[in-house]
Amino acid sequence: MTVATSEPAERSVTVRGSGIVSAVPDLVRAAVTVTATRPAVAAAFEAVARSTTAVTDVLRGHGVSGPDLATTGLSVHSETTWTEGRGSEVTGYTAATTLQITVRADDADGESGASPAQVVAACVGAGGDDIRLGGLEFDFSDPAALTATARERAWADALAKAEQYASLSQRALGEVLEISEVDTGDVSPRPVVKAFAAADSPIAVERGEKPTRVDVRVRWRLT
């Protein structure tokens, strides 16, 4: 939100403050795709349905259900080969379905007792060679709280700068004339510092720290 006045620019000071809060993400999202290639369409769909049921049963057994488990894709296409003198021929059909799963870090302390890495490993075990993994990303269940803290730090940074400029110019800060939040885009994550995986997991899923940043531009009256 921006509040502006007609106050002369020469009697005001404008500064930009930055606030960054780094925290370990408590959500892991991943895309789990189940595929199967068979001579007939019905057989391909049946194989995908069988593997998908096995995967979803495992996920629900680890507490991944409701909004944390969603089907985001379903497709089938023909497989063809080309031979000299015969042209292109259909050799089979590939069916696929994609599940978007969300695994919560706190789940390791809950009833399932499984880490996100163990949940992913269980999916692979249930789906076997029909499983494809992709789209791994990390997020927060309550990003608003982190943004609020970053905003407070950005304000404190801006205020400290403004007070210094006011002192240097032998003036004092008056009322706030304008406030605007600045879009800084994505902030690059810091190096990984913590792993989801247990020691016996086949592949570690590491979440590291993800920073939340807020930049603010504030203009004060100088008195």
Side-chain angles (χ1 to χ4, degrees):
M1 180 180 72
T2 300
V3 180
T5 73
S6 58
E7 193 70 21
E10 63 270 17
R11 295 198 57 190
S12 66
V13 59
T14 302
V15 297
R16 178 167 169 167
S18 298
I20 298 178
V21 178
S22 292
V24 178
D26 58 358
L27 297 180
V28 178
R29 293 190 177 93
V32 178
T33 300
V34 182
T35 66
T37 301
R38 299 291 187 273
V41 172
F45 267 116
E46 182 181 354
V48 166
R50 186 166 53 249
S51 294
T52 301
T53 298
V55 170
T56 54
D57 285 347
V58 165
L59 288 170
R60 290 191 175 98
H62 284 83
V64 181
S65 60
D68 292 340
L69 176 60
T71 300
T72 59
L74 180 62
S75 65
V76 62
H77 67 270
S78 59
E79 301 290 345
T80 61
T81 59
W82 189 91
T83 56
E84 188 69 31
R86 300 179 62 178
S88 181
E89 294 181 317
V90 175
T91 58
Y93 298 87
T94 297
T97 186
T98 299
L99 302 172
Q100 184 71 35
I101 67 172
T102 300
V103 184
R104 303 176 185 276
D106 292 340
D107 287 351
D109 301 322
E111 295 181 0
S112 67
S115 70
Q118 291 169 326
V119 173
V120 171
C123 285
V124 174
D129 293 339
D130 294 335
I131 285 289
R132 303 291 182 271
L133 297 175
L136 190 68
E137 63 180 33
F138 306 94
D139 207 347
F140 301 105
S141 58
D142 187 13
L146 294 170
T147 300
T149 301
R151 191 174 286 126
E152 291 173 358
R153 294 183 180 181
W155 174 265
D157 183 40
L159 179 60
K161 292 176 181 177
E163 288 176 337
Q164 182 181 18
Y165 282 122
S167 176
L168 291 171
S169 62
Q170 297 182 345
R171 292 180 179 273
L173 289 184
E175 64 179 310
V176 173
L177 303 175
E178 181 180 347
I179 305 173
S180 59
E181 197 164 292
V182 183
D183 184 9
T184 58
D186 294 334
V187 180
S188 298
R190 292 185 178 181
V192 169
V193 297
K194 189 173 182 180
F196 272 152
D200 58 350
S201 296
I203 298 177
V205 178
E206 299 180 338
R207 48 181 170 158
E209 282 191 341
K210 183 177 180 180
T212 298
R213 175 172 175 167
V214 171
D215 277 31
V216 64
R217 182 181 291 109
V218 188
R219 185 161 68 96
W220 278 270
R221 175 182 286 119
L222 289 176
T223 61

